[in-house]
Amino acid sequence: MGEPCRMRVRYVKDGRLAYLGHLEVMNTIMRCVRRSGLPFEVGNGFARRMRIQFSQALPVGASSAGEYYDLMLPHPVDVTQALAQLREATPSALQPNACKLLPRKVPALEAWVNVSRWDAVVQADGVDADVFAQGVERVVAQDVIEYMRGPKLRRIQVSPTLMSCHATDTSEGVALSIQTRTTEAGALRPAVLVQAAVGCVPLRVCRVGQWHEQEDGSRLDPMGSMWG
């Protein structure tokens, strides 16, 4: 039947589920995989859990046009049929839209995917694109953002994690296009950047793309052809 492999799945997280936590998303997807009837491997630990890897967690409050998970398979499957089975078993707000078979030994998604592009909208009195750009300039000059995450004070360095940020005035508010890089020190969340720049939270945030950035600056798509 073929060698064990992994199947990479791209799925959306609809805006209606923006406030669903990552653990809840993971549990929902694992239930959907079981319901789909697809074969999958189970770990050897005490809990005997499904062998599945997810890309980096979305911030609570953010939606996504493309998240990923890798399902470990005991043997290859027909990806067209597998996608159909997953779509039938998954609610529309977490609907998968692409599958690809990969070799077993590829880097784990969470560590490998290290660049994200975000769209966001800010609505606040007195905040337009110029005001926002000036706020980002101040944040970049300071280079460190301190913020509270729950009861804990967090710090994130801006220079290695913020790649670009563009603001445009629209009828809805200030539309933002932000690119961030994940480093060993962490990742810059768009809401943290907005809060530091203009003192408010964004109306909405959506992750619209993810890639792996190589040392030469080129990018690889998680569903690309680099794995053969």
Side-chain angles (χ1 to χ4, degrees):
M1 299 180 68
E3 293 294 321
C5 60
R6 66 175 68 203
M7 183 174 69
R8 180 160 296 171
V9 180
R10 184 179 65 213
Y11 67 98
V12 302
K13 185 182 180 187
D14 187 82
R16 295 183 296 118
L17 295 186
Y19 291 92
L20 195 66
H22 187 58
L23 183 59
E24 295 170 298
V25 171
M26 291 169 58
N27 289 335
T28 300
I29 286 176
M30 285 189 283
R31 287 197 297 270
C32 294
V33 170
R34 293 180 185 276
R35 191 160 53 238
S36 74
L38 288 173
F40 57 85
E41 291 191 348
V42 176
N44 295 322
F46 176 78
R48 302 284 292 168
R49 294 178 178 173
M50 180 185 298
R51 296 193 63 193
I52 186 170
Q53 298 174 351
F54 288 83
S55 53
Q56 294 176 14
L58 275 171
V60 174
S63 59
S64 178
E67 297 298 292
Y68 300 89
Y69 64 85
D70 282 358
L71 180 65
M72 306 305 166
L73 303 178
H75 54 78
V77 297
D78 180 279
V79 291
T80 301
Q81 180 60 34
L83 180 59
Q85 290 176 234
L86 284 172
R87 288 178 63 86
E88 185 175 354
T90 306
S92 60
L94 290 174
Q95 194 73 186
N97 53 38
C99 293
K100 183 180 181 67
L101 293 183
L102 302 178
R104 174 56 58 86
K105 292 184 179 180
V106 300
L109 268 171
E110 187 174 9
W112 186 78
V113 175
N114 57 4
V115 170
S116 295
R117 185 164 69 84
W118 312 81
D119 286 348
V121 174
V122 175
Q123 280 185 349
D125 292 339
V127 176
D128 60 14
D130 288 338
V131 169
F132 187 85
Q134 292 167 11
V136 171
E137 287 180 3
R138 290 193 299 271
V139 170
V140 170
Q142 295 167 359
D143 199 35
V144 173
I145 299 175
E146 292 188 342
Y147 63 100
M148 299 300 296
R149 189 173 176 186
K152 295 184 178 181
L153 178 66
R154 304 278 185 167
R155 293 167 57 90
I156 184 73
Q157 190 174 0
V158 176
S159 53
T161 55
L162 178 62
M163 302 176 70
S164 65
C165 181
H166 301 286
T168 306
D169 289 318
T170 71
S171 58
E172 188 180 17
V174 182
L176 308 177
S177 178
I178 302 169
Q179 291 194 76
T180 60
R181 178 189 295 112
T182 301
T183 69
E184 293 182 357
L188 176 60
R189 298 167 179 246
V192 170
L193 175 64
V194 172
Q195 181 72 45
V198 292
C200 67
V201 297
L203 177 65
R204 68 175 176 272
V205 176
C206 179
R207 179 150 61 189
V208 294
Q210 298 186 77
W211 300 270
H212 170 74
E213 183 183 46
Q214 302 191 101
E215 290 184 2
D216 63 2
S218 61
R219 296 181 183 180
L220 299 176
D221 189 297
M223 302 297 287
S225 59
M226 63 283 187
W227 309 121

